[in-house]
Amino acid sequence: MTGRARARARGRPRGQEAAPPSVGAVSVKFQISAGFQEMSLGDRGGRRRDFHDLGVNTRQAIEHVRESKTGSSGAMIRLSTNYFRLTSRPQWALYQYHVDYNPQMEARRLRSALLFQHEELIGRTHAFDGTILFLPKKLGNKVTEVFSRTRNGEDVKLTITLTNELPPTSPTCLQFYNIIFRRLLKIMNLQQIGRNYYNPSDPISIPNHRLMVWPGFTTSILQYEKSIMLCTDVSHKVLRSETVLDFMYNLYNQVEEQRFRDICTKELIGLIVLTKYNNKTYRVDDIDWDANPKCTFRKADGSEISYIDYYKMQYNQDITDLNQPVLVSQPRRKRGSLMPGPAVLIPELCYLTGLTEKMRNDFNMMKDLSVHTRLTPEQRQREVGRLIDYIQKDDSVQRELRDWGLSFDSNLLSFTGRVVQAEKIHQAGRVFDYNPHFADWSKETRGAPLINAKPLDNWLLIYTRRNYDVANALLQNLFKVTPSMGIRMNKAVMIEVDDRTEAYLRVLQQNITSDTNIVVCLLSSSRKDKYDAIKKYLCTDCPIPSQCVTARTLSKPQSIMAIATKIALQMNCKMGGELWSVEIPLKQLMVVGIDCYHDTVSGKRSIAGFVANLNQGMTRWFSRCVLQDRGQELVDGLKACLQTALRDWFKWNKYLPSRVMVYRDGVGDGQLKTLVNYEVPQLLDCLRSVGKDYNPRLTVIVVKKRISTRFFFQSGGRPQNPPPGTVVDVEVTRPEWYDFFIVSQAVKSGCVAPTHYNVIYDSSGLKPDHVQRLTYKLCHMYYNWSGVIRVPAPCQYAHKLAFLVGQSIHKEPNLLLSDRLYYL
Amino acid sequence: MDKNVQEERFTEMIKFTPPLYKQRYQFIKDLVWKYKPKKVADLGCADCTLLWMLKFCSCIEVLAGLDICENVMKEKMHRLSPLPGDYLQPAERSLTVTLHHGSVAHKDPCMLGFDLITCIELIEHLEEPELEKFPEVVFGFMAPAMVVISTPNSEFNPLLPGVTPFRHPDHKFEWNRAEFQSWALNIARSYDYSVEFTGVGPPPTGMEEVGFCTQIGVFIRKYSQTKSLFNKKLLRYKSVIMMGFFYVFLYVVKVFKAVYPSLKDEKYLQIAVVSEVVFTAQVIKRNLLDHLHSEHEEYSDGPVEIKSKSQHSENCVSEELAVEKCMEPSVSGNVVYIPLTKIFSFPKVNQLCGTFEKLYKLIADKVTLSSDGSAMVVDIEQEYEEEEN
């Protein structure tokens, strides 16, 4: 008997919030209380995604860090962080009971009512989902039998059996804390959107861009190194106060009619929309231009109904535009054992959320937005403190916590970190120190010769008539800045071109010879299609380095020289030149960087960039990428990349690396297990397949940029950003991992974000201190930025490559380019 | 015989489409459509499904639920909270939803002043003493303009083989039509209401004599309750509380309250108006500049466009006074002037503000206005950067 039939059979129905109309199967889910359902699913493992990668215990397999995973070098620094300790009474435990009814009672309301007739036995504080009962105290007996009487006089025997006594650190308890904490957030009237909670009553409105920003929090309670803690950070939800239909009309007024559908599809697919009538979010996977709100669909009971009537009847929502297309969203998750059909959504009833790629590239919009969302360390600390204050002051929240015997520390966790020393920048025999506070050496190294300068003997400069002056200015300034770098430069072949994509391509075809070093294209606007076409041609059909410059960037006379310097450096890297290096004490070391780009527009492809050094100084890199269609395993492509990288390494060095160190970026929350169980063994396999006697040491480090952890350095009574080079490997790390945080970059405004490194496999035997130092050194080696960056350079290179391929080229670039940083 | 099997047979024999409970809710929704009550209370609201359905009815401004079982009510009460969408585009109407934990056998002032009170499948769950108090509480004390009571019709039960003696173990009784109707008529007489009987869940063909599966009584108050009477009643109960009879609170406790954002609230109205105005202004500005731009393209090409554009426009707006009087936006130097009269003429802005004075009042400190306050000033420089980045 299905849940619905049961509900029908009873006098009182079990309410169901109607699901959005979906084509095909509609399964009716029997709702257990949301919280527990989550919990029991989590217990069974699998169905619910484990965003915190619980239960992946990699440290125990790495012998040399079982005792200690902490480094030692650097100066001590007193830090605080956005973590609050969760404390429980001594000897605290959560008692899990199973409740049986004889005769069987199926209505949960009745089951609850029968159980709570014995409140004097079980107490006021309990959590019960109809079967499983959680109590903060232990009952007198392991098995307790009690009798209840229904209102019509039926006697029911309840058997309450203790099934588990959960210590504060058990995984079930952690989930339980999170559920209780979510209850608290709801009590505080915060709205859940996705995984986070927001306060809708004080929105920040940015009407210029029709944006609405809700301040809120991301929270999670986890077991950290020494204690269970709440990690909470300020989060901002960007919502749009326009519906998808408004957006479509606006766009329609801005573009030519024949391009409208195409552009609209590109803009909307992949976006998350929020429905007006319920609190659900959907990802737009397709737009059905042939359908409209007058179309009908089949309801669960088999009857046909039009979308107009459905929304009118169900939610009293009037659809005014009867000719709008409909949005299609594919379900991500199974509902029970059924895979529901795609959900059909009406643009007029959906709000846009988040930012499109186009908006992200809109400098003004991001500026307006960052005024509100970029918080200084002081502001951030205050906001985080406000949440904890609220928890401490709200009576009902406190009561709930007290009843469970739990409480939160009211102060931010503080501890000691280390700041490792700044590196020395080596450049063609000269050594530079940089100001460790700014972590930037563009001033120090200005005008100094490069390690390896590639000559510009034969190169093209392509421009439109309108930009003739700008082209000349660029040329003159390059002549000024290149000599001191050691770059030999002839005058460019100057070619004027019509401002059309085809014209650019024709010029390229006609003028590139086998001697051409590089092509510079001066573009009159940042129109993406022209850029894409040029890059595609020069990365695949005619593999030659290219540099595109938007004319506008050169328009200000006072900054043109600085920009010409940057362009010269960038061009040099693209041709295989080398700029600077830092000292890398480890020999025969191959460092690999991997990052992924998920192409949401053209067919859900993923692209992985793979970058590995070719020389000891880490100044030359091998780059390849993997294009992976949906359903394919990424790792097969990565294996092929690693094989070619080793082959090229051998060509360059006449020996193979004895150590391989992989920095793996682009790993989503909850994907760690797959990485450990599948990707690492495949990499090992690949290394083994090289030769019988070849047995290099492998280290695999997962790099994570998007984390909630923030560190504050208390200085002069005010919280500041910790200096670059700050390493944290205590307190906020996880006991089951070999992990650490590094703050490598300096930021001018806002709060610096540390990067989390998790060593998931390590046969190197290297001390943690060495791994940390090496990682920090690698953050100095990204040639597009004369300063320290957030991730090791190979990760950033891999990111750049994957982004270029995913955004512009859409196929694998020519391998002839693979020994150069052509994608910078 | 196993209960589930019995029920299965029951559903095989008689199957209502849509399910019976939905028909009952639909019945209420139809009534709300027809009578447009502003304040509605659901007694025995259980998991709040009916309330959730009713919150979409735009005539309702106050919704309240009462149930004796706090746990069941709390389970899903958060779906009665405003949704993100309600904040993004606040509605014209105001809406407050409250839930109370308590018994229908107790008079509580929070239950006063309703237009419609629904008691769906409630009375059959009441014990004898509660049932006795029920008419006085609902019809005498709460005295709404309309009451709807539904309850099982026991004459239908023989068609439901699994049902012995009642449809639900918690039912204290199930009445046939005559029993229900005499009870209802009696109430109507005593409290000056009229009552009409109907039902949902029609009997199968050939069995029409058993009547609807669920019988419903719709009560309409015959006298019109004057405000003073209502206030008197409220005062009396307030004074009871003030005199220290806190027992009232022991029986009825508020467990949930949600106030929906509404344009009636100045704060939300201002946000809505300012957003609309700024956005509209951006559109006007863009159109204006595009227009000037395209005019210009014909005879000039090159990066000097901005300079020449402003010159161009300065020529045509030499007399500033004249410009601000007219409805048309104009360019002057690096800014665009958009007359407020023009902004006010936009349907959405007009509809939101109602009067020009209101518009002025709402946006005055939120946007840049010209020195005499007649036009909104929008920067061009910003737009230029926006396009190029």
Side-chain angles (χ1 to χ4, degrees):
Chain A
M1 191 184 236
T2 65
R4 179 176 295 244
R6 227 180 270 146
R8 220 181 280 129
R10 275 204 318 269
R12 267 191 171 272
R14 175 174 291 275
Q16 286 141 356
E17 232 170 272
S22 70
V23 184
V26 176
S27 74
V28 176
K29 191 162 65 174
F30 211 50
Q31 284 276 341
I32 323 168
S33 81
F36 281 107
Q37 192 173 38
E38 239 177 56
M39 178 181 282
S40 38
L41 291 177
D43 279 344
R44 265 178 257 134
R47 285 247 290 281
R48 193 173 69 100
R49 243 176 94 185
D50 166 18
F51 293 111
H52 301 296
D53 297 304
L54 294 167
V56 183
N57 191 343
T58 41
R59 183 175 171 187
Q60 66 178 16
I62 308 172
E63 208 167 327
H64 67 284
V65 292
R66 260 186 232 156
E67 288 296 309
S68 161
K69 64 175 185 188
T70 52
S72 52
S73 56
M76 296 301 182
I77 183 173
R78 201 66 197 152
L79 298 172
S80 58
T81 179
N82 53 339
Y83 286 63
F84 298 88
R85 238 185 241 112
L86 173 71
T87 45
S88 46
R89 281 192 298 258
Q91 276 98 47
W92 187 94
L94 185 67
Y95 299 93
Q96 183 181 339
Y97 289 89
H98 184 87
V99 185
D100 251 332
Y101 294 81
N102 189 14
Q104 260 313 311
M105 294 287 131
E106 41 122 328
R108 180 143 70 98
R109 185 177 181 180
L110 193 58
R111 290 169 75 108
S112 300
L114 293 173
L115 179 65
F116 301 144
Q117 287 180 13
H118 302 279
E119 201 157 66
E120 79 293 343
L121 174 74
I122 58 175
R124 196 160 63 92
T125 311
H126 42 68
F128 182 56
D129 77 341
T131 311
I132 299 167
L133 171 72
F134 285 106
L135 295 178
K137 62 164 193 176
K138 196 173 180 174
L139 301 180
N141 301 314
K142 198 165 181 291
V143 181
T144 313
E145 287 186 356
V146 288
F147 288 88
S148 298
R149 176 164 292 193
T150 66
R151 287 190 165 192
N152 51 340
E154 196 179 356
D155 284 317
V156 181
K157 185 170 88 175
L158 279 71
T159 314
I160 307 168
T161 315
L162 180 69
T163 51
N164 237 329
E165 197 167 311
L166 302 161
T169 52
S170 86
T172 311
C173 265
L174 285 170
Q175 283 173 7
F176 172 78
Y177 302 143
N178 280 291
I179 289 166
I180 293 289
F181 196 74
R182 274 160 196 269
R183 262 194 209 172
L184 301 184
L185 293 168
K186 272 189 180 164
I187 293 176
M188 293 189 274
N189 268 326
L190 296 175
Q191 285 257 348
Q192 183 174 12
I193 303 181
R195 272 189 268 163
N196 301 332
Y197 283 80
Y198 299 92
N199 179 5
S201 52
D202 284 306
I204 303 158
S205 165
I206 308 176
N208 281 7
H209 313 287
R210 285 206 160 171
L211 292 184
M212 202 69 119
V213 180
W214 287 5
F217 299 98
T218 126
T219 64
S220 64
I221 299 173
L222 283 179
Q223 170 75 50
Y224 293 96
E225 209 62 58
K226 285 186 192 143
S227 43
I228 297 165
M229 290 192 280
L230 163 72
C231 170
T232 176
D233 190 25
V234 178
S235 161
H236 287 101
K237 188 74 193 172
V238 177
L239 295 157
R240 317 251 295 260
S241 42
E242 59 181 346
T243 63
V244 176
L245 188 65
D246 293 336
F247 174 85
M248 286 175 160
Y249 269 112
N250 255 320
L251 189 70
Y252 188 80
N253 289 330
Q254 284 173 27
V255 301
E256 303 113 85
E257 191 163 353
Q258 68 272 22
R259 288 176 63 211
F260 168 68
R261 284 189 179 187
D262 198 37
I263 294 177
C264 188
T265 310
K266 266 195 185 154
E267 286 274 333
L268 287 177
I269 284 186
L271 278 190
I272 305 294
V273 297
L274 181 73
T275 47
K276 263 188 180 179
Y277 41 85
N278 60 17
N279 194 9
K280 284 193 179 145
T281 50
Y282 299 87
R283 184 181 180 280
V284 178
D285 291 306
D286 200 3
I287 301 176
D288 188 345
W289 295 98
D290 300 324
N292 63 50
K294 286 173 281 184
C295 293
T296 59
F297 69 99
R298 200 119 77 103
K299 288 209 299 181
D301 62 15
S303 60
E304 287 270 329
I305 188 167
S306 73
Y307 295 114
I308 309 172
D309 294 341
Y310 175 81
Y311 284 105
K312 183 71 194 165
M313 236 181 67
Q314 192 71 30
Y315 301 106
N316 194 32
Q317 298 285 331
D318 291 306
I319 298 174
T320 52
D321 186 325
L322 302 183
N323 296 315
Q324 58 189 313
V326 301
L327 309 175
V328 181
S329 177
Q330 301 291 342
R332 305 284 117 173
R333 262 195 292 177
K334 277 186 178 176
R335 273 214 200 157
S337 56
L338 277 173
M339 192 67 178
V344 172
L345 306 163
I346 307 296
E348 193 177 343
L349 303 180
C350 296
Y351 288 107
L352 289 164
T353 70
L355 299 173
T356 59
E357 202 60 48
K358 196 175 137 209
M359 293 164 95
R360 277 181 211 283
N361 292 329
D362 180 339
F363 174 75
N364 273 298
M365 171 176 291
M366 294 315 280
K367 200 177 70 190
D368 289 352
L369 200 57
S370 69
V371 168
H372 303 287
T373 58
R374 192 172 292 161
L375 303 180
T376 64
E378 199 173 0
Q379 287 168 321
R380 192 174 285 262
Q381 187 176 319
R382 192 171 52 229
E383 290 301 317
V384 165
R386 195 169 288 178
L387 176 72
I388 215 79
D389 264 4
Y390 205 2
I391 291 174
Q392 309 288 11
K393 286 194 185 121
D394 190 296
D395 285 342
S396 29
V397 170
Q398 276 303 308
R399 189 179 339 117
E400 179 91 26
L401 281 172
R402 206 168 39 237
D403 288 349
W404 287 106
L406 301 170
S407 65
F408 288 99
D409 262 6
S410 50
N411 294 320
L412 298 167
L413 177 80
S414 49
F415 58 91
T416 306
R418 290 173 290 118
V419 184
V420 300
Q421 73 186 75
E423 293 294 324
K424 291 193 182 320
I425 305 300
H426 298 255
Q427 194 164 314
R430 295 170 65 179
V431 181
F432 301 92
D433 284 312
Y434 58 85
N435 181 339
H437 193 67
F438 301 122
D440 182 293
W441 49 88
S442 47
K443 282 209 182 70
E444 286 79 356
T445 56
R446 183 173 298 157
L450 309 175
I451 294 179
N452 180 0
K454 294 283 176 188
L456 285 162
D457 292 329
N458 185 346
W459 59 293
L460 311 182
L461 177 55
I462 304 174
Y463 56 92
T464 58
R465 204 181 82 198
R466 181 173 167 165
N467 290 324
Y468 175 74
D469 292 336
V470 185
N472 265 313
L474 173 64
L475 192 63
Q476 293 319 312
N477 279 287
L478 283 174
F479 270 121
K480 275 189 220 158
V481 300
T482 46
S484 65
M485 297 176 188
I487 299 173
R488 191 174 75 225
M489 183 173 122
N490 289 335
K491 186 172 187 293
V493 181
M494 306 274 285
I495 306 166
E496 192 176 293
V497 69
D498 274 350
D499 197 6
R500 283 177 298 113
T501 307
E502 314 82 69
Y504 272 96
L505 290 180
R506 200 171 334 107
V507 164
L508 293 175
Q509 275 159 6
Q510 287 164 355
N511 292 282
I512 291 173
T513 67
S514 57
D515 298 330
T516 308
N517 306 120
I518 193 165
V519 178
V520 180
C521 295
L522 205 53
L523 302 177
S524 52
S525 74
S526 49
R527 278 273 302 269
K528 196 168 164 294
D529 45 357
K530 208 172 290 159
Y531 175 87
D532 289 356
I534 293 169
K535 284 290 173 189
K536 188 167 186 176
Y537 180 68
L538 294 178
C539 287
T540 57
D541 303 331
C542 175
I544 187 162
S546 57
Q547 177 73 50
C548 290
V549 186
T550 317
R552 213 180 101 81
T553 52
L554 299 167
S555 62
K556 292 199 182 95
Q558 66 272 25
S559 63
I560 191 164
M561 185 129 144
I563 287 165
T565 307
K566 281 201 171 124
I567 293 174
L569 292 173
Q570 203 174 348
M571 284 163 63
N572 191 55
C573 296
K574 287 181 174 179
M575 293 184 293
E578 297 151 59
L579 306 188
W580 66 78
S581 73
V582 294
E583 200 196 333
I584 310 272
L586 276 179
K587 305 297 170 213
Q588 301 183 13
L589 167 68
M590 178 191 255
V591 175
V592 175
I594 299 170
D595 197 4
C596 297
Y597 171 85
H598 302 288
D599 189 349
T600 46
V601 181
S602 58
K604 288 143 205 135
R605 255 181 175 183
S606 292
I607 290 129
F610 179 102
V611 172
N613 63 314
L614 289 165
N615 61 351
Q616 166 67 26
M618 312 266 169
T619 56
R620 291 299 302 268
W621 300 89
F622 163 85
S623 311
R624 254 192 92 167
C625 72
V626 186
L627 278 80
Q628 164 230 6
D629 285 309
R630 205 178 191 182
Q632 250 178 307
E633 285 301 338
L634 193 62
V635 71
D636 298 331
L638 293 180
K639 270 171 84 173
C641 288
L642 182 57
Q643 267 158 0
T644 15
L646 287 167
R647 205 178 304 137
D648 277 30
W649 168 289
F650 188 78
K651 264 191 237 154
W652 275 62
N653 302 295
K654 308 292 173 253
Y655 59 82
L656 283 166
S658 62
R659 296 173 185 280
V660 176
M661 203 156 203
V662 179
Y663 285 94
R664 174 72 157 90
D665 202 344
V667 182
D669 291 343
Q671 291 180 350
L672 197 62
K673 200 169 213 154
T674 326
L675 222 67
V676 172
N677 293 344
Y678 196 65
E679 207 166 296
V680 173
Q682 295 284 311
L683 290 175
L684 283 167
D685 233 31
C686 176
L687 291 176
R688 248 177 256 127
S689 70
V690 171
K692 230 187 6 223
D693 305 324
Y694 183 56
N695 193 15
R697 290 155 184 263
L698 176 70
T699 307
V700 181
I701 303 177
V702 173
V703 181
K704 220 165 190 182
K705 298 186 292 285
R706 294 181 60 170
I707 52 171
S708 307
T709 309
R710 295 290 181 274
F711 299 125
F712 307 107
F713 162 46
Q714 306 292 342
S715 150
R718 284 173 58 211
Q720 314 264 335
N721 279 322
T726 301
V727 177
V728 172
D729 51 15
V730 292
E731 295 285 354
V732 289
T733 48
R734 302 258 290 259
E736 73 274 25
W737 292 347
Y738 170 15
D739 60 337
F740 55 90
F741 295 85
I742 299 181
V743 175
S744 47
Q745 81 280 29
V747 294
K748 284 205 187 80
S749 63
C751 237
V752 71
T755 305
H756 182 248
Y757 296 92
N758 185 5
V759 187
I760 57 167
Y761 182 88
D762 187 19
S763 61
S764 73
L766 287 175
K767 284 185 190 155
D769 200 57
H770 292 162
V771 173
Q772 293 168 0
R773 291 291 301 277
L774 178 69
T775 304
Y776 185 51
K777 280 170 185 287
L778 288 168
C779 296
H780 289 69
M781 291 304 297
Y782 182 63
Y783 283 163
N784 230 3
W785 184 257
S786 338
V788 193
I789 61 163
R790 253 188 102 171
V791 291
C795 286
Q796 190 63 17
Y797 288 136
H799 165 77
K800 264 285 207 185
L801 171 60
F803 187 79
L804 176 74
V805 173
Q807 279 269 305
S808 305
I809 305 181
H810 307 294
K811 61 185 206 181
E812 183 164 12
N814 198 308
L815 285 183
L816 287 172
L817 290 169
S818 68
D819 63 346
R820 278 165 275 179
L821 302 171
Y822 60 95
Y823 44 82
L824 263 192
Chain B
M1 193 193 278
D2 183 82
K3 193 159 163 267
N4 284 354
V5 179
Q6 289 171 15
E7 278 171 356
E8 210 150 67
R9 188 181 295 165
F10 158 48
T11 49
E12 269 166 31
M13 279 190 59
I14 308 271
K15 190 173 178 179
F16 293 111
T17 326
L20 198 54
Y21 78 94
K22 281 197 179 171
Q23 291 190 31
R24 285 193 290 260
Y25 292 160
Q26 191 57 46
F27 180 85
I28 301 294
K29 267 175 87 173
D30 293 344
L31 270 186
V32 168
W33 274 118
K34 194 170 159 196
Y35 292 97
K36 308 253 180 280
K38 279 190 174 168
K39 299 180 173 188
V40 181
D42 184 25
L43 307 185
C45 61
D47 62 3
C48 309
T49 304
L50 179 61
L51 292 173
W52 174 75
M53 288 169 80
L54 290 178
K55 81 166 190 165
F56 295 104
C57 297
S58 48
C59 59
I60 296 177
E61 293 177 1
V62 174
L63 260 182
L66 176 78
D67 203 286
I68 194 75
C69 182
E70 192 179 356
N71 285 328
V72 172
M73 207 163 38
K74 274 187 162 175
E75 215 168 82
K76 288 190 178 176
M77 67 181 180
H78 288 287
R79 66 179 169 163
L80 297 175
S81 299
L83 298 170
D86 293 318
Y87 287 98
L88 288 174
Q89 277 181 4
E92 179 55 44
R93 60 132 176 201
S94 62
L95 173 64
T96 306
V97 186
T98 46
L99 292 179
H100 302 273
H101 170 218
S103 160
V104 293
H106 293 280
K107 298 178 181 177
D108 189 282
C110 70
M111 283 296 155
L112 287 175
F114 285 91
D115 302 316
L116 168 65
I117 287 184
T118 58
C119 310
I120 303 305
E121 308 294 273
L122 167 79
I123 54 169
E124 65 276 10
H125 291 268
L126 300 180
E127 301 276 6
E128 192 68 39
E130 291 169 325
L131 185 67
E132 265 169 34
K133 286 183 196 150
F134 177 82
E136 169 53 24
V137 174
V138 174
F139 293 87
F141 173 67
M142 300 179 188
M146 188 184 257
V147 179
V148 180
I149 296 175
S150 84
T151 190
N153 166 18
S154 63
E155 290 163 79
F156 199 96
N157 285 359
L159 298 178
L160 313 169
V163 175
T164 44
F166 299 137
R167 297 185 195 173
H168 189 275
D170 189 49
H171 286 182
K172 308 302 175 307
F173 59 87
E174 278 172 12
W175 280 336
N176 62 29
R177 280 171 292 173
E179 287 169 315
F180 176 58
Q181 290 178 12
S182 85
W183 177 80
L185 285 166
N186 198 21
I187 290 175
R189 225 177 358 259
S190 339
Y191 296 95
D192 201 13
Y193 276 73
S194 67
V195 59
E196 277 178 31
F197 299 100
T198 174
V200 292
T205 359
M207 311 283 278
E208 284 83 359
E209 77 284 356
V210 302
F212 289 110
C213 189
T214 297
Q215 45 183 340
I216 298 176
V218 180
F219 299 74
I220 296 181
R221 199 178 57 208
K222 287 205 249 175
Y223 63 99
S224 73
Q225 195 182 23
T226 57
K227 225 183 176 121
S228 64
L229 184 66
F230 167 72
N231 282 340
K232 222 163 86 191
K233 207 184 270 179
L234 191 65
L235 267 180
R236 197 165 78 224
Y237 278 87
K238 277 199 174 148
S239 62
V240 168
I241 296 163
M242 292 204 314
M243 280 162 66
F245 292 98
F246 284 105
Y247 74 94
V248 179
F249 278 127
L250 291 180
Y251 291 107
V252 179
V253 180
K254 182 156 78 188
V255 292
F256 175 86
K257 181 174 182 180
V259 179
Y260 278 63
S262 150
L263 294 175
K264 293 216 166 69
D265 181 339
E266 190 90 342
K267 175 174 123 185
Y268 292 108
L269 180 63
Q270 184 170 44
I271 293 174
V273 169
V274 172
S275 317
E276 201 54 45
V277 165
V278 173
F279 188 76
T280 310
Q282 295 286 338
V283 173
I284 295 175
K285 180 186 69 175
R286 202 177 305 137
N287 289 344
L288 182 71
L289 293 182
D290 282 355
H291 182 66
L292 290 173
H293 190 76
S294 62
E295 253 176 29
H296 217 73
E297 280 280 88
E298 285 161 24
Y299 38 89
S300 109
D301 184 2
V304 286
E305 57 195 85
I306 272 300
K307 210 182 275 170
S308 54
K309 193 184 336 184
S310 44
Q311 273 164 7
H312 171 87
S313 43
E314 251 160 7
N315 291 339
C316 61
V317 296
S318 49
E319 270 176 57
E320 238 186 29
L321 204 75
V323 174
E324 295 191 356
K325 281 266 152 59
C326 80
M327 277 272 276
E328 286 319 302
S330 58
V331 182
S332 168
N334 272 333
V335 295
V336 176
Y337 289 96
I338 304 168
L340 291 189
T341 41
K342 168 90 177 172
I343 289 172
F344 187 62
S345 72
F346 273 80
K348 259 194 182 166
V349 176
N350 194 292
Q351 190 200 332
L352 281 170
C353 302
T355 64
F356 186 81
E357 289 65 40
K358 183 92 180 168
L359 168 71
Y360 185 82
K361 194 182 147 225
L362 286 170
I363 63 170
D365 343 317
K366 297 283 175 182
V367 302
T368 322
L369 294 180
S370 61
S371 51
D372 68 345
S374 69
M376 182 174 164
V377 184
V378 187
D379 256 325
I380 294 181
E381 192 58 18
Q382 198 184 349
E383 173 74 8
Y384 179 63
E385 286 209 4
E386 217 166 49
E387 276 172 0
E388 289 298 308
N389 260 284

